[in-house]
Amino acid sequence: MFFVFKNYKLTQNHFIYFIKKNIKPTLISIFLKLFLYIVPHNIFFMKNIIISITLLISFFATAQSNWQQHADYTMDIDVNIKNYQYKGKQKLIYTNNSPDELKKVYYHLYFNAFQPNSQMDIRLQTIKDPDRRMVEGIGKTSRIASLKPNEIGYIKVNSLKQNGQAVKYKTVGTILEVTLNEPIKSGEKATFKMDFEAQIPVQIRRSGRNSKEGVALSMTQWYPKMAEYDFEGWHTPPYIGREFYGVWGNFDVKIHIDKNYVLGGTGKVQNPQEVGHGYQEKGTKVTLPKGEKLTWHFKAEKVHDFTWAGDPNYKHDIYQMKNGTTLHFLYKNDLAPHFLENWKKLQPKTAELLNYFSEKIGQYPYKQYSVIQGGDGGMEYAQCTLITGKRSWGSLFGVTAHEVAHTWFQFLLATNENKYPWMDEGFTTYISNKAETELSGINNTNPHKGSYKSYRYVVKMGVEEPLTTNADRYDLNTAYGMASYSKGNIFLSQLEYIIGKENVAKTLKEYYKKFAFKHPTPNDFKRVAEKISGIHLEWYLNEWTKTTHTIDYAVEKIEGNKIILKRIGKMPMPIDLEVTYIDDTTEDFNIPLVMMRGHKPTTAKILKAWGWAYPTYSFETKKQVKSVKIDKSGLMADMVLDN
Ligand SMILES: [Zn+2]
């Protein structure tokens, strides 16, 4: 039977693991008995049995991505607000659910990126269109390059033990490489205990001290964080600009900090009566301890990140949702009156947004969510967002809609953002565009127009790169932005055109049901859409995400009752046609692609499917044709609209 293992590139360990995980002992014994019975009786059946085993194993081989690692953090953090340094103790219980034995583990030390000559710094100096927030002056010089030693960010690991024994480790930029004393076997746990010290960098990007708007501490990507190991192996990208892929688990975090600071972030405050600052039970009084510091105790379950922010001048409002979820709003109390007004108006609107996404995708699963003024724009985190606060109403609502939507796309449906930023930014853009227009009562048939415009613009500039490009490897930030936000958004809005609006809506819900709290891949999403619609979509995922092929369909000729269409672009698409006859009546037609093996639900007349290889397609109508319009919905990203 060894040839079977070899064929499917499975080691014996994998096999035993899958048997343990997937087959009940009774099933094994039935299988064995059947085998022993058949062998002496019929050699033909014997062959069938071997085929069945082969199929069974190939099923398990493809089911490999069904496991995921688990990490439980306990941290004790002591913050010195005078020099922006903190000391930390971290206990991490790591469960290896993979079928593999791990001889090494890796941690992210993100703050190390904010040092002169780091990869992030050099990338800033070499990319043609650097992020404006990260550069200064006419020469657009990197702000990281000029950081002084007391302004840089760092995380220094002072000691690390695995199950009580010191291990060897090495810091390489933003990654800590750890060589284990004893491998962590499949299905086993290891306890890591680490002492570290860190410095909060001057705010350059996302994290840091003293933001432009004067927020003291934006603490994102601030702790030693275990890198993710999945069916593809380790994911240890250096922090250059983009990230977000973490291990699911639980957090128990204690932060000791100056007692005037108000904190907010991931997790529920466990000791509200000791910290006060608006967290205490309504109407009760809190006597803060005599010392200089307060201890904030947070707990968060089923998350893959932990973020917090702190400022001595935060105003803290609570908005209680009817379903029991508590919303926290933390913003500077010295904002101009019109900004303060916007932050008040935002509170019921945030509740509406959470309800909207819960209804369209899946129920928000946590008990609280916080919108916090901080960071340098808008960035999504576990159970919270950090956004800048000096915004017009439209901008504040828009950015909140976008960041809250991220709770679903990338947070709960935790795709690998480095690899598939389009499933994160694109899907978020799609659903938040819809939320924004619907909740503002705007009647807009295509809320995604901006994405189509930016897609066509970047394609015409000739700088487009396929969506399979790693988020940090795009030549230009413009190309990254267009691909991730716009082309990723169009992936879904154009899917409405292919399989129908209702089917896309159902797909999103089913995708959440199947993959929340997991790490779905593009193919996982495609499979859900295929099962919901009954339409094959391999061609779509392939063309739209792995190539830069473009769409261009044209009406070549109208001859009396005959219409001839032409495919000019390489990318195939089904065609919706509105035909106007000479008597000014109209009729809708739908031409599916052969590759779809089906068509969307539509009231249009379904015509014979179009095979991709044929450059032209013709059909006849009952009446004489006056004019023909391809795709009146505007959802197909055709590059040339006037043909
Ligand atoms: Zn985003």
Side-chain angles (χ1 to χ4, degrees):
M1 231 167 67
F2 212 79
F3 77 95
V4 174
F5 294 142
K6 269 195 164 168
N7 272 354
Y8 289 89
K9 293 197 181 85
L10 286 172
T11 63
Q12 212 163 343
N13 267 351
H14 281 90
F15 183 68
I16 291 164
Y17 173 83
F18 287 125
I19 295 293
K20 270 203 270 183
K21 281 263 157 173
N22 297 295
I23 310 181
K24 290 195 176 108
T26 46
L27 218 73
I28 299 178
S29 80
I30 290 170
F31 219 69
L32 257 172
K33 275 177 198 159
L34 204 71
F35 188 76
L36 290 174
Y37 171 79
I38 287 167
V39 171
H41 287 81
N42 193 322
I43 198 72
F44 175 74
F45 277 112
M46 175 69 194
K47 208 171 139 194
N48 279 350
I49 285 287
I50 290 179
I51 290 168
S52 319
I53 293 172
T54 311
L55 285 174
L56 203 73
I57 288 171
S58 82
F59 167 76
F60 291 141
T62 55
Q64 270 196 68
S65 56
N66 285 344
W67 54 266
Q68 62 192 25
Q69 305 295 67
H70 185 91
D72 288 333
Y73 292 82
T74 308
M75 291 194 273
D76 193 272
I77 308 296
D78 192 20
V79 185
N80 180 342
I81 53 149
K82 291 194 183 93
N83 60 10
Y84 300 100
Q85 292 176 358
Y86 55 100
K87 288 194 168 83
K89 285 186 192 304
Q90 183 191 72
K91 184 173 107 178
L92 171 53
I93 301 175
Y94 184 68
T95 312
N96 177 16
N97 290 321
S98 83
D100 308 318
E101 196 172 87
L102 300 178
K103 296 190 174 81
K104 288 189 165 195
V105 297
Y106 302 84
Y107 288 77
H108 294 277
L109 306 172
Y110 293 111
F111 272 6
N112 290 352
F114 303 105
Q115 297 174 5
N117 216 29
S118 69
Q119 289 207 53
M120 187 186 265
D121 179 26
I122 301 305
R123 172 72 164 162
L124 265 180
Q125 297 181 31
T126 49
I127 196 165
K128 273 193 211 121
D129 59 342
D131 187 315
R132 270 177 297 174
R133 290 166 288 200
M134 300 168 79
V135 291
E136 60 196 350
I138 314 157
K140 288 186 181 173
T141 32
S142 156
R143 288 176 57 217
I144 299 176
S146 57
L147 289 177
K148 297 185 190 82
N150 63 351
E151 293 173 334
I152 63 167
Y154 63 74
I155 301 180
K156 278 185 196 152
V157 177
N158 292 328
S159 73
L160 180 60
K161 286 178 177 169
Q162 174 196 4
N163 302 331
Q165 300 293 316
V167 285
K168 268 193 221 144
Y169 58 85
K170 191 168 90 180
T171 300
V172 181
T174 63
I175 296 289
L176 185 78
E177 304 175 353
V178 183
T179 307
L180 301 177
N181 291 331
E182 38 180 320
I184 313 172
K185 292 201 179 98
S186 172
E188 287 187 354
K189 283 181 203 293
T191 302
F192 293 102
K193 280 190 183 168
M194 183 194 282
D195 279 354
F196 65 95
E197 55 185 72
Q199 182 167 283
I200 306 161
V202 163
Q203 171 92 36
I204 301 282
R205 184 75 182 98
R206 299 193 182 103
S207 313
R209 67 209 210 201
N210 304 323
S211 77
K212 231 178 170 182
E213 296 187 343
V215 172
L217 305 176
S218 299
M219 299 296 286
T220 72
Q221 296 154 290
W222 61 277
Y223 62 95
K225 180 175 176 177
M226 183 63 79
E228 183 60 303
Y229 181 79
D230 66 14
F231 72 106
E232 293 176 313
W234 281 105
H235 297 277
T236 57
Y239 185 32
I240 293 176
R242 307 195 170 90
E243 64 88 45
F244 258 123
Y245 193 45
V247 188
W248 284 103
N250 305 314
F251 285 78
D252 184 322
V253 181
K254 281 186 184 138
I255 299 166
H256 314 282
I257 193 167
D258 182 284
K259 67 177 173 191
N260 294 315
Y261 272 59
V262 188
L263 265 52
T266 309
K268 194 171 172 5
V269 175
Q270 299 297 301
N271 54 344
Q273 295 308 113
E274 288 165 31
V275 294
H277 287 304
Y279 285 96
Q280 73 273 24
E281 223 170 286
K282 240 185 177 174
T284 61
K285 265 203 168 171
V286 174
T287 344
L288 297 183
K290 279 207 179 110
E292 269 180 30
K293 285 186 179 178
L294 270 184
T295 297
W296 293 72
H297 186 192
F298 293 93
K299 271 189 185 181
E301 278 160 14
K302 290 179 93 176
V303 290
H304 53 78
D305 191 42
F306 189 97
T307 288
W308 60 281
D311 192 278
N313 296 314
Y314 266 151
K315 194 170 157 44
H316 176 203
D317 292 338
I318 287 181
Y319 185 93
Q320 195 59 52
M321 286 174 67
K322 283 195 189 96
N323 64 9
T325 303
T326 308
L327 303 181
H328 298 269
F329 295 85
L330 293 121
Y331 51 102
K332 298 282 284 187
N333 57 18
D334 54 4
L335 282 174
H338 61 287
F339 290 137
L340 287 175
E341 206 176 289
N342 291 342
W343 275 83
K344 288 281 179 204
K345 206 170 145 189
L346 183 65
Q347 298 173 18
K349 278 287 174 195
T350 305
E352 281 179 40
L353 285 165
L354 272 172
N355 285 336
Y356 182 90
F357 301 129
S358 291
E359 192 198 311
K360 301 290 176 192
I361 315 166
Q363 186 56 49
Y364 180 73
Y366 306 114
K367 285 277 168 259
Q368 78 289 321
Y369 185 85
S370 306
V371 182
I372 305 167
Q373 187 187 354
D376 56 8
M379 185 66 198
E380 67 277 11
Y381 299 102
Q383 305 172 357
C384 67
T385 175
L386 264 60
I387 62 175
T388 46
K390 295 177 181 174
R391 290 172 179 273
S392 66
W393 166 245
S395 164
L396 188 69
F397 176 58
V399 75
T400 307
H402 182 90
E403 305 311 335
V404 173
H406 267 306
T407 294
W408 282 263
F409 297 120
Q410 210 283 329
F411 203 83
L412 293 163
L413 293 150
T415 46
N416 182 337
E417 190 190 343
N418 262 82
K419 289 190 72 174
Y420 317 117
W422 59 277
M423 292 180 81
D424 163 328
E425 296 302 348
F427 287 18
T428 292
T429 303
Y430 171 83
I431 202 73
S432 63
N433 278 351
K434 279 170 116 66
E436 254 186 277
T437 47
E438 282 179 45
L439 298 181
S440 337
I442 301 166
N443 187 12
N444 193 342
T445 47
N446 184 1
H448 313 293
K449 272 190 188 130
S451 289
Y452 285 82
K453 204 176 146 193
S454 112
Y455 166 68
R456 289 184 179 113
Y457 173 75
V458 167
V459 170
K460 282 176 189 159
M461 265 172 72
V463 296
E464 193 203 1
E465 291 181 61
L467 295 188
T468 44
T469 310
N470 179 292
D472 279 319
R473 301 288 180 282
Y474 282 87
D475 258 352
L476 298 173
N477 275 325
T478 313
Y480 158 80
M482 189 288 289
S484 308
Y485 291 77
S486 305
K487 204 177 175 188
N489 173 17
I490 299 171
F491 178 85
L492 286 182
S493 57
Q494 191 166 248
L495 189 61
E496 288 183 1
Y497 174 77
I498 300 166
I499 68 172
K501 216 174 173 174
E502 297 297 307
N503 279 334
V504 172
K506 280 186 205 158
T507 297
L508 288 181
K509 288 183 184 175
E510 186 62 21
Y511 177 53
Y512 180 83
K513 242 195 209 160
K514 268 192 105 164
F515 293 104
F517 301 104
K518 292 189 175 125
H519 295 304
T521 63
N523 199 59
D524 289 330
F525 183 83
K526 185 209 80 177
R527 290 296 294 131
V528 175
E530 286 183 333
K531 285 176 191 170
I532 294 285
S533 67
I535 292 170
H536 293 197
L537 294 165
E538 178 63 23
W539 62 275
Y540 182 54
L541 184 66
N542 184 56
E543 297 281 325
W544 195 248
T545 71
K546 298 178 190 169
T547 76
T548 52
H549 295 171
T550 53
I551 305 163
D552 183 15
Y553 279 93
V555 180
E556 182 158 74
K557 227 185 250 173
I558 302 168
E559 285 169 339
N561 291 15
K562 196 175 175 189
I563 297 169
I564 304 172
L565 302 173
K566 193 175 180 189
R567 176 179 60 76
I568 301 166
K570 263 192 202 159
M571 174 152 179
M573 282 295 275
I575 298 297
D576 278 353
L577 271 188
E578 186 188 54
V579 174
T580 307
Y581 298 115
I582 44 163
D583 61 5
D584 279 334
T585 58
T586 62
E587 190 173 4
D588 288 332
F589 295 93
N590 174 270
I591 309 168
L593 284 168
V594 170
M595 289 182 279
M596 289 163 63
R597 309 287 163 205
H599 61 79
K600 69 178 167 187
T602 171
T603 51
K605 190 175 176 205
I606 308 293
L607 297 172
K608 190 173 143 281
W610 187 341
W612 170 81
Y614 302 100
T616 58
Y617 179 101
S618 62
F619 73 101
E620 277 176 39
T621 54
K622 281 182 191 142
K623 290 191 265 184
Q624 209 176 329
V625 177
K626 186 164 135 193
S627 66
V628 175
K629 188 168 170 49
I630 297 174
D631 178 30
K632 61 180 171 186
S633 72
L635 292 173
M636 181 171 86
D638 194 295
M639 286 301 297
V640 187
L641 293 174
D642 51 14
N643 58 1

